[in-house]
Amino acid sequence: MYFNDGFRELQRQECLQLLGTVPVGRIVHTRHALPAVLPVNFCLDSDGAVLLRTSAASELVRAIDGAIVAFEADEVDAATHAGWSVVVTGSASVIRDAAEHERLARSGPRSWVPSPQEVFVRIEPELVTGRALVGGRTLYGLDATS
């Protein structure tokens, strides 16, 4: 978090609740020693872990399996200058347990680009942070819309 920036810091539970309200976020990882950001659809598991479903042969799976990644989702209303942003940071891993894979095939995220062989990726919610700006008013009482 960036303290003293005028935004309201969100608590972990509030962050997870907000994440559950949007279908798309961005995964941030390292690609060829540089930061890479990729939009993905997702859902949350009951413990707050971020779940992705993608092709087993995807470059994304090779890049993030076993790596520390960040996942960000947000919702912004440009007209009212209000919105929120949540970041989950943690270890990403391909789910290899057959029973867990079967459970997620029934209840997990649906791929927007289905492929013949899909895997589920779990991002552990080790660090969950978020911030909000409500109605264009900062913590300092200033109107951000003027």
Side-chain angles (χ1 to χ4, degrees):
M1 294 294 348
Y2 298 99
F3 296 104
N4 298 319
D5 64 0
F7 288 85
R8 180 175 68 87
E9 185 176 350
L10 302 173
Q11 298 301 312
R12 180 184 180 97
Q13 195 56 40
E14 187 177 11
C15 288
L16 295 175
Q17 288 172 339
L18 288 168
L19 277 180
T21 68
V22 294
V24 176
R26 285 155 292 285
I27 188 159
V28 182
H29 62 97
T30 302
R31 181 173 183 235
H32 304 297
L34 296 171
V37 181
L38 185 67
V40 293
N41 67 299
F42 74 101
C43 75
L44 293 181
D45 210 349
S46 60
D47 65 352
V50 174
L51 298 170
L52 313 175
R53 184 176 191 165
T54 190
S55 168
S58 74
E59 183 179 330
L60 176 64
V61 168
R62 290 189 303 277
I64 67 173
D65 189 23
I68 301 294
V69 301
F71 179 84
E72 188 272 346
D74 55 46
E75 189 169 72
V76 176
D77 182 337
T80 63
H81 295 200
W84 57 266
S85 174
V86 170
V87 177
V88 174
T89 305
S91 301
S93 59
V94 171
I95 295 174
R96 292 181 171 82
D97 179 75
E100 183 69 357
H101 189 278
E102 185 60 33
R103 176 184 76 86
L104 293 174
R106 290 188 309 274
S107 64
R110 299 281 172 235
S111 178
W112 287 8
V113 184
S115 70
Q117 292 185 330
E118 294 180 327
V119 294
F120 292 96
V121 176
R122 178 183 178 85
I123 302 170
E124 293 295 335
E126 295 165 16
L127 177 62
V128 179
T129 59
R131 58 191 210 149
L133 179 62
V134 180
R137 297 207 63 86
T138 73
L139 287 176
Y140 309 120
L142 302 176
D143 184 349
T145 61
S146 55

